[in-house]
PDB file of all heavy atoms in Angstrom:
ATOM      1  N   VAL A 173     169.993 135.170  89.461  1.00  0.00           N
ATOM      2  CA  VAL A 173     170.968 135.710  88.516  1.00  0.00           C
ATOM      3  C   VAL A 173     171.362 137.119  88.962  1.00  0.00           C
ATOM      4  O   VAL A 173     170.502 137.993  89.130  1.00  0.00           O
ATOM      5  CB  VAL A 173     170.394 135.748  87.095  1.00  0.00           C
ATOM      6  CG1 VAL A 173     171.393 136.375  86.125  1.00  0.00           C
ATOM      7  CG2 VAL A 173     170.019 134.345  86.635  1.00  0.00           C
ATOM      8  N   THR A 174     172.662 137.341  89.147  1.00  0.00           N
ATOM      9  CA  THR A 174     173.145 138.654  89.566  1.00  0.00           C
ATOM     10  C   THR A 174     173.785 139.440  88.433  1.00  0.00           C
ATOM     11  O   THR A 174     173.847 140.669  88.476  1.00  0.00           O
ATOM     12  CB  THR A 174     174.166 138.504  90.707  1.00  0.00           C
ATOM     13  OG1 THR A 174     175.270 137.714  90.247  1.00  0.00           O
ATOM     14  CG2 THR A 174     173.525 137.826  91.912  1.00  0.00           C
ATOM     15  N   ARG A 175     174.292 138.767  87.407  1.00  0.00           N
ATOM     16  CA  ARG A 175     174.951 139.450  86.299  1.00  0.00           C
ATOM     17  C   ARG A 175     174.901 138.553  85.062  1.00  0.00           C
ATOM     18  O   ARG A 175     174.944 137.337  85.176  1.00  0.00           O
ATOM     19  CB  ARG A 175     176.401 139.776  86.660  1.00  0.00           C
ATOM     20  CG  ARG A 175     177.189 140.473  85.553  1.00  0.00           C
ATOM     21  CD  ARG A 175     178.617 140.757  85.992  1.00  0.00           C
ATOM     22  NE  ARG A 175     178.637 141.721  87.091  1.00  0.00           N
ATOM     23  CZ  ARG A 175     179.740 142.049  87.767  1.00  0.00           C
ATOM     24  NH1 ARG A 175     180.887 141.460  87.469  1.00  0.00           N
ATOM     25  NH2 ARG A 175     179.684 142.940  88.733  1.00  0.00           N
ATOM     26  N   VAL A 176     174.822 139.194  83.896  1.00  0.00           N
ATOM     27  CA  VAL A 176     174.817 138.465  82.625  1.00  0.00           C
ATOM     28  C   VAL A 176     175.810 139.118  81.683  1.00  0.00           C
ATOM     29  O   VAL A 176     175.810 140.343  81.512  1.00  0.00           O
ATOM     30  CB  VAL A 176     173.416 138.448  81.975  1.00  0.00           C
ATOM     31  CG1 VAL A 176     173.462 137.723  80.634  1.00  0.00           C
ATOM     32  CG2 VAL A 176     172.394 137.791  82.896  1.00  0.00           C
ATOM     33  N   LEU A 177     176.646 138.301  81.060  1.00  0.00           N
ATOM     34  CA  LEU A 177     177.572 138.758  80.019  1.00  0.00           C
ATOM     35  C   LEU A 177     177.176 138.143  78.688  1.00  0.00           C
ATOM     36  O   LEU A 177     176.799 136.964  78.627  1.00  0.00           O
ATOM     37  CB  LEU A 177     179.013 138.338  80.332  1.00  0.00           C
ATOM     38  CG  LEU A 177     179.887 139.265  81.182  1.00  0.00           C
ATOM     39  CD1 LEU A 177     179.337 139.365  82.593  1.00  0.00           C
ATOM     40  CD2 LEU A 177     181.327 138.766  81.207  1.00  0.00           C
ATOM     41  N   ILE A 178     177.255 138.920  77.623  1.00  0.00           N
ATOM     42  CA  ILE A 178     177.116 138.420  76.259  1.00  0.00           C
ATOM     43  C   ILE A 178     178.330 138.890  75.475  1.00  0.00           C
ATOM     44  O   ILE A 178     178.621 140.100  75.430  1.00  0.00           O
ATOM     45  CB  ILE A 178     175.817 138.907  75.584  1.00  0.00           C
ATOM     46  CG1 ILE A 178     174.597 138.355  76.317  1.00  0.00           C
ATOM     47  CG2 ILE A 178     175.784 138.473  74.118  1.00  0.00           C
ATOM     48  CD1 ILE A 178     173.271 138.804  75.743  1.00  0.00           C
ATOM     49  N   ASP A 179     179.056 137.939  74.910  1.00  0.00           N
ATOM     50  CA  ASP A 179     180.310 138.250  74.196  1.00  0.00           C
ATOM     51  C   ASP A 179     181.255 139.076  75.054  1.00  0.00           C
ATOM     52  O   ASP A 179     181.949 139.973  74.554  1.00  0.00           O
ATOM     53  CB  ASP A 179     180.015 138.968  72.877  1.00  0.00           C
ATOM     54  CG  ASP A 179     179.474 138.018  71.815  1.00  0.00           C
ATOM     55  OD1 ASP A 179     179.779 136.812  71.885  1.00  0.00           O
ATOM     56  OD2 ASP A 179     178.743 138.491  70.923  1.00  0.00           O
ATOM     57  N   GLY A 180     181.267 138.807  76.351  1.00  0.00           N
ATOM     58  CA  GLY A 180     182.188 139.479  77.254  1.00  0.00           C
ATOM     59  C   GLY A 180     181.722 140.805  77.785  1.00  0.00           C
ATOM     60  O   GLY A 180     182.374 141.386  78.660  1.00  0.00           O
ATOM     61  N   ASP A 181     180.592 141.319  77.288  1.00  0.00           N
ATOM     62  CA  ASP A 181     180.065 142.595  77.758  1.00  0.00           C
ATOM     63  C   ASP A 181     178.988 142.362  78.808  1.00  0.00           C
ATOM     64  O   ASP A 181     178.118 141.490  78.639  1.00  0.00           O
ATOM     65  CB  ASP A 181     179.460 143.399  76.607  1.00  0.00           C
ATOM     66  CG  ASP A 181     180.500 143.781  75.564  1.00  0.00           C
ATOM     67  OD1 ASP A 181     181.654 144.062  75.964  1.00  0.00           O
ATOM     68  OD2 ASP A 181     180.163 143.802  74.371  1.00  0.00           O
ATOM     69  N   VAL A 182     179.037 143.155  79.892  1.00  0.00           N
ATOM     70  CA  VAL A 182     178.004 143.073  80.917  1.00  0.00           C
ATOM     71  C   VAL A 182     176.728 143.712  80.369  1.00  0.00           C
ATOM     72  O   VAL A 182     176.705 144.905  80.053  1.00  0.00           O
ATOM     73  CB  VAL A 182     178.440 143.784  82.216  1.00  0.00           C
ATOM     74  CG1 VAL A 182     177.322 143.711  83.253  1.00  0.00           C
ATOM     75  CG2 VAL A 182     179.717 143.159  82.758  1.00  0.00           C
ATOM     76  N   VAL A 183     175.661 142.921  80.226  1.00  0.00           N
ATOM     77  CA  VAL A 183     174.407 143.427  79.639  1.00  0.00           C
ATOM     78  C   VAL A 183     173.272 143.513  80.647  1.00  0.00           C
ATOM     79  O   VAL A 183     172.257 144.147  80.378  1.00  0.00           O
ATOM     80  CB  VAL A 183     173.972 142.538  78.446  1.00  0.00           C
ATOM     81  CG1 VAL A 183     175.008 142.599  77.333  1.00  0.00           C
ATOM     82  CG2 VAL A 183     173.738 141.102  78.894  1.00  0.00           C
ATOM     83  N   ALA A 184     173.450 142.892  81.822  1.00  0.00           N
ATOM     84  CA  ALA A 184     172.396 142.961  82.845  1.00  0.00           C
ATOM     85  C   ALA A 184     173.003 142.728  84.215  1.00  0.00           C
ATOM     86  O   ALA A 184     173.939 141.942  84.366  1.00  0.00           O
ATOM     87  CB  ALA A 184     171.306 141.928  82.564  1.00  0.00           C
ATOM     88  N   GLU A 185     172.444 143.416  85.206  1.00  0.00           N
ATOM     89  CA  GLU A 185     172.852 143.217  86.594  1.00  0.00           C
ATOM     90  C   GLU A 185     171.636 143.319  87.486  1.00  0.00           C
ATOM     91  O   GLU A 185     170.800 144.221  87.319  1.00  0.00           O
ATOM     92  CB  GLU A 185     173.905 144.244  87.020  1.00  0.00           C
ATOM     93  CG  GLU A 185     175.310 143.935  86.526  1.00  0.00           C
ATOM     94  CD  GLU A 185     176.362 144.822  87.166  1.00  0.00           C
ATOM     95  OE1 GLU A 185     176.117 146.042  87.249  1.00  0.00           O
ATOM     96  OE2 GLU A 185     177.409 144.298  87.580  1.00  0.00           O
ATOM     97  N   ASN A 186     171.527 142.372  88.405  1.00  0.00           N
ATOM     98  CA  ASN A 186     170.465 142.380  89.411  1.00  0.00           C
ATOM     99  C   ASN A 186     169.083 142.556  88.788  1.00  0.00           C
ATOM    100  O   ASN A 186     168.251 143.330  89.257  1.00  0.00           O
ATOM    101  CB  ASN A 186     170.729 143.477  90.449  1.00  0.00           C
ATOM    102  CG  ASN A 186     172.039 143.245  91.186  1.00  0.00           C
ATOM    103  OD1 ASN A 186     172.345 142.123  91.578  1.00  0.00           O
ATOM    104  ND2 ASN A 186     172.821 144.307  91.355  1.00  0.00           N
ATOM    105  N   GLY A 187     168.847 141.840  87.703  1.00  0.00           N
ATOM    106  CA  GLY A 187     167.525 141.822  87.096  1.00  0.00           C
ATOM    107  C   GLY A 187     167.206 142.980  86.184  1.00  0.00           C
ATOM    108  O   GLY A 187     166.059 143.097  85.718  1.00  0.00           O
ATOM    109  N   ARG A 188     168.171 143.844  85.899  1.00  0.00           N
ATOM    110  CA  ARG A 188     167.915 144.992  85.043  1.00  0.00           C
ATOM    111  C   ARG A 188     168.846 144.985  83.838  1.00  0.00           C
ATOM    112  O   ARG A 188     170.055 144.784  83.986  1.00  0.00           O
ATOM    113  CB  ARG A 188     168.130 146.305  85.828  1.00  0.00           C
ATOM    114  CG  ARG A 188     167.169 146.481  87.000  1.00  0.00           C
ATOM    115  CD  ARG A 188     165.743 146.693  86.520  1.00  0.00           C
ATOM    116  NE  ARG A 188     164.806 146.816  87.641  1.00  0.00           N
ATOM    117  CZ  ARG A 188     163.488 146.913  87.506  1.00  0.00           C
ATOM    118  NH1 ARG A 188     162.964 146.890  86.283  1.00  0.00           N
ATOM    119  NH2 ARG A 188     162.708 147.011  88.557  1.00  0.00           N
ATOM    120  N   ALA A 189     168.285 145.222  82.662  1.00  0.00           N
ATOM    121  CA  ALA A 189     169.109 145.314  81.458  1.00  0.00           C
ATOM    122  C   ALA A 189     169.904 146.608  81.477  1.00  0.00           C
ATOM    123  O   ALA A 189     169.414 147.653  81.940  1.00  0.00           O
ATOM    124  CB  ALA A 189     168.227 145.251  80.216  1.00  0.00           C
ATOM    125  N   LEU A 190     171.114 146.562  80.987  1.00  0.00           N
ATOM    126  CA  LEU A 190     171.991 147.725  80.941  1.00  0.00           C
ATOM    127  C   LEU A 190     172.113 148.285  79.531  1.00  0.00           C
ATOM    128  O   LEU A 190     173.058 148.998  79.215  1.00  0.00           O
ATOM    129  CB  LEU A 190     173.380 147.351  81.475  1.00  0.00           C
ATOM    130  CG  LEU A 190     173.416 146.796  82.906  1.00  0.00           C
ATOM    131  CD1 LEU A 190     174.849 146.470  83.310  1.00  0.00           C
ATOM    132  CD2 LEU A 190     172.785 147.771  83.889  1.00  0.00           C
ATOM    133  N   PHE A 191     171.148 147.971  78.688  1.00  0.00           N
ATOM    134  CA  PHE A 191     171.178 148.450  77.309  1.00  0.00           C
ATOM    135  C   PHE A 191     169.771 148.834  76.888  1.00  0.00           C
ATOM    136  O   PHE A 191     168.781 148.414  77.505  1.00  0.00           O
ATOM    137  CB  PHE A 191     171.707 147.362  76.369  1.00  0.00           C
ATOM    138  CG  PHE A 191     170.873 146.101  76.375  1.00  0.00           C
ATOM    139  CD1 PHE A 191     169.831 145.931  75.471  1.00  0.00           C
ATOM    140  CD2 PHE A 191     171.107 145.095  77.300  1.00  0.00           C
ATOM    141  CE1 PHE A 191     169.047 144.792  75.481  1.00  0.00           C
ATOM    142  CE2 PHE A 191     170.331 143.946  77.322  1.00  0.00           C
ATOM    143  CZ  PHE A 191     169.309 143.799  76.406  1.00  0.00           C
ATOM    144  N   ASP A 192     169.673 149.648  75.874  1.00  0.00           N
ATOM    145  CA  ASP A 192     168.388 150.033  75.294  1.00  0.00           C
ATOM    146  C   ASP A 192     168.271 149.404  73.917  1.00  0.00           C
ATOM    147  O   ASP A 192     169.226 149.399  73.134  1.00  0.00           O
ATOM    148  CB  ASP A 192     168.285 151.557  75.163  1.00  0.00           C
ATOM    149  CG  ASP A 192     168.258 152.249  76.515  1.00  0.00           C
ATOM    150  OD1 ASP A 192     167.578 151.728  77.418  1.00  0.00           O
ATOM    151  OD2 ASP A 192     168.929 153.291  76.658  1.00  0.00           O
ATOM    152  N   LEU A 193     167.101 148.883  73.638  1.00  0.00           N
ATOM    153  CA  LEU A 193     166.871 148.314  72.316  1.00  0.00           C
ATOM    154  C   LEU A 193     166.639 149.443  71.314  1.00  0.00           C
ATOM    155  O   LEU A 193     165.831 150.344  71.569  1.00  0.00           O
ATOM    156  CB  LEU A 193     165.662 147.385  72.328  1.00  0.00           C
ATOM    157  CG  LEU A 193     165.840 146.042  73.047  1.00  0.00           C
ATOM    158  CD1 LEU A 193     164.509 145.306  73.105  1.00  0.00           C
ATOM    159  CD2 LEU A 193     166.878 145.189  72.334  1.00  0.00           C
ATOM    160  N   PRO A 194     167.318 149.429  70.190  1.00  0.00           N
ATOM    161  CA  PRO A 194     167.082 150.477  69.190  1.00  0.00           C
ATOM    162  C   PRO A 194     165.694 150.316  68.577  1.00  0.00           C
ATOM    163  O   PRO A 194     165.151 149.207  68.502  1.00  0.00           O
ATOM    164  CB  PRO A 194     168.183 150.215  68.148  1.00  0.00           C
ATOM    165  CG  PRO A 194     168.503 148.756  68.295  1.00  0.00           C
ATOM    166  CD  PRO A 194     168.327 148.457  69.751  1.00  0.00           C
ATOM    167  N   PRO A 195     165.094 151.409  68.139  1.00  0.00           N
ATOM    168  CA  PRO A 195     163.774 151.308  67.498  1.00  0.00           C
ATOM    169  C   PRO A 195     163.866 150.524  66.201  1.00  0.00           C
ATOM    170  O   PRO A 195     164.905 150.520  65.530  1.00  0.00           O
ATOM    171  CB  PRO A 195     163.384 152.768  67.258  1.00  0.00           C
ATOM    172  CG  PRO A 195     164.682 153.501  67.226  1.00  0.00           C
ATOM    173  CD  PRO A 195     165.589 152.793  68.176  1.00  0.00           C
ATOM    174  N   PHE A 196     162.769 149.869  65.863  1.00  0.00           N
ATOM    175  CA  PHE A 196     162.729 149.083  64.629  1.00  0.00           C
ATOM    176  C   PHE A 196     161.446 149.412  63.894  1.00  0.00           C
ATOM    177  O   PHE A 196     160.358 149.420  64.488  1.00  0.00           O
ATOM    178  CB  PHE A 196     162.798 147.588  64.928  1.00  0.00           C
ATOM    179  CG  PHE A 196     162.832 146.725  63.688  1.00  0.00           C
ATOM    180  CD1 PHE A 196     164.016 146.503  63.016  1.00  0.00           C
ATOM    181  CD2 PHE A 196     161.665 146.151  63.192  1.00  0.00           C
ATOM    182  CE1 PHE A 196     164.056 145.724  61.866  1.00  0.00           C
ATOM    183  CE2 PHE A 196     161.692 145.377  62.046  1.00  0.00           C
ATOM    184  CZ  PHE A 196     162.897 145.159  61.388  1.00  0.00           C
ATOM    185  N   GLN A 197     161.555 149.678  62.614  1.00  0.00           N
ATOM    186  CA  GLN A 197     160.393 149.996  61.795  1.00  0.00           C
ATOM    187  C   GLN A 197     159.926 148.741  61.072  1.00  0.00           C
ATOM    188  O   GLN A 197     160.603 148.245  60.174  1.00  0.00           O
ATOM    189  CB  GLN A 197     160.742 151.086  60.777  1.00  0.00           C
ATOM    190  CG  GLN A 197     159.549 151.555  59.956  1.00  0.00           C
ATOM    191  CD  GLN A 197     158.488 152.241  60.800  1.00  0.00           C
ATOM    192  OE1 GLN A 197     158.804 153.060  61.654  1.00  0.00           O
ATOM    193  NE2 GLN A 197     157.231 151.898  60.568  1.00  0.00           N
ATOM    194  N   PHE A 198     158.766 148.230  61.474  1.00  0.00           N
ATOM    195  CA  PHE A 198     158.236 147.039  60.820  1.00  0.00           C
ATOM    196  C   PHE A 198     157.584 147.423  59.495  1.00  0.00           C
ATOM    197  O   PHE A 198     156.954 148.478  59.387  1.00  0.00           O
ATOM    198  CB  PHE A 198     157.198 146.352  61.716  1.00  0.00           C
ATOM    199  CG  PHE A 198     157.783 145.697  62.923  1.00  0.00           C
ATOM    200  CD1 PHE A 198     157.893 146.389  64.115  1.00  0.00           C
ATOM    201  CD2 PHE A 198     158.237 144.390  62.871  1.00  0.00           C
ATOM    202  CE1 PHE A 198     158.441 145.790  65.241  1.00  0.00           C
ATOM    203  CE2 PHE A 198     158.791 143.783  63.982  1.00  0.00           C
ATOM    204  CZ  PHE A 198     158.896 144.483  65.171  1.00  0.00           C
ATOM    205  N   PRO A 199     157.698 146.572  58.485  1.00  0.00           N
ATOM    206  CA  PRO A 199     157.036 146.872  57.204  1.00  0.00           C
ATOM    207  C   PRO A 199     155.522 146.838  57.348  1.00  0.00           C
ATOM    208  O   PRO A 199     154.975 146.185  58.240  1.00  0.00           O
ATOM    209  CB  PRO A 199     157.539 145.758  56.285  1.00  0.00           C
ATOM    210  CG  PRO A 199     157.982 144.656  57.198  1.00  0.00           C
ATOM    211  CD  PRO A 199     158.470 145.323  58.451  1.00  0.00           C
ATOM    212  N   ASP A 200     154.854 147.536  56.436  1.00  0.00           N
ATOM    213  CA  ASP A 200     153.396 147.658  56.513  1.00  0.00           C
ATOM    214  C   ASP A 200     152.698 146.304  56.480  1.00  0.00           C
ATOM    215  O   ASP A 200     151.671 146.112  57.135  1.00  0.00           O
ATOM    216  CB  ASP A 200     152.882 148.531  55.374  1.00  0.00           C
ATOM    217  CG  ASP A 200     153.183 150.009  55.599  1.00  0.00           C
ATOM    218  OD1 ASP A 200     153.519 150.377  56.746  1.00  0.00           O
ATOM    219  OD2 ASP A 200     153.077 150.786  54.634  1.00  0.00           O
ATOM    220  N   TRP A 201     153.236 145.356  55.718  1.00  0.00           N
ATOM    221  CA  TRP A 201     152.546 144.062  55.603  1.00  0.00           C
ATOM    222  C   TRP A 201     152.551 143.311  56.933  1.00  0.00           C
ATOM    223  O   TRP A 201     151.706 142.432  57.155  1.00  0.00           O
ATOM    224  CB  TRP A 201     153.145 143.212  54.493  1.00  0.00           C
ATOM    225  CG  TRP A 201     154.567 142.780  54.702  1.00  0.00           C
ATOM    226  CD1 TRP A 201     155.699 143.429  54.289  1.00  0.00           C
ATOM    227  CD2 TRP A 201     155.017 141.599  55.374  1.00  0.00           C
ATOM    228  NE1 TRP A 201     156.824 142.725  54.658  1.00  0.00           N
ATOM    229  CE2 TRP A 201     156.440 141.596  55.326  1.00  0.00           C
ATOM    230  CE3 TRP A 201     154.367 140.544  56.003  1.00  0.00           C
ATOM    231  CZ2 TRP A 201     157.206 140.581  55.886  1.00  0.00           C
ATOM    232  CZ3 TRP A 201     155.129 139.525  56.565  1.00  0.00           C
ATOM    233  CH2 TRP A 201     156.529 139.542  56.506  1.00  0.00           C
TER     234      TRP A 201
END
């Protein structure tokens, strides 16, 4: 795999993601 598009946006190239996942706060339970 050399490139990945999701909804027309390039999100990965040559095995590397081109985006950062936003932090998520899990509930205490």
Side-chain angles (χ1 to χ4, degrees):
V173 177
T174 60
R175 179 180 295 173
V176 178
L177 271 66
I178 296 179
D179 285 334
D181 296 324
V182 179
V183 297
E185 282 190 315
N186 299 317
R188 297 292 178 185
L190 302 180
F191 60 92
D192 294 319
L193 288 174
F196 183 82
Q197 185 65 44
F198 290 91
D200 286 345
W201 65 268

